[in-house]
Amino acid sequence: MPTYEFSCKNCAKKFTVFTPISQKSEVRCPSCSSAELKQIFSNPFSFLKSKDVCRIPPRGGFG
Ligand SMILES: [Zn+2]
């Protein structure tokens, strides 16, 4: 089953869902139940082109 990563436009929560593509539009935020979600496309494909990934160090380093 495909996984999708979403960011909630209402509360900014990020979460991953496992759902058939036919039910993707029925996904709700687990935190606030909002349907105003923005799908994040970066992660599902990152492994496909890991060779070309530009590694950006986290802001402020590793602590
Ligand atoms: Zn939310």
Side-chain angles (χ1 to χ4, degrees):
M1 197 174 288
T3 63
Y4 302 97
E5 194 169 354
F6 290 95
S7 171
C8 178
K9 292 180 182 176
N10 188 43
C11 71
K13 181 177 178 63
K14 290 178 181 164
F15 59 97
T16 304
V17 294
F18 302 85
T19 187
I21 194 165
S22 59
Q23 293 179 23
K24 195 158 64 98
S25 61
E26 296 178 27
V27 174
R28 296 292 181 268
C29 174
S31 180
C32 69
S33 298
S34 172
E36 293 293 310
L37 307 173
K38 184 178 75 172
Q39 189 171 359
I40 301 170
F41 289 100
S42 56
N43 280 5
F45 303 103
S46 61
F47 72 95
L48 291 175
K49 52 183 181 180
S50 57
K51 282 181 302 186
D52 304 322
V53 163
C54 179
R55 297 190 185 280
I56 301 168
R59 210 174 295 169
F62 293 96

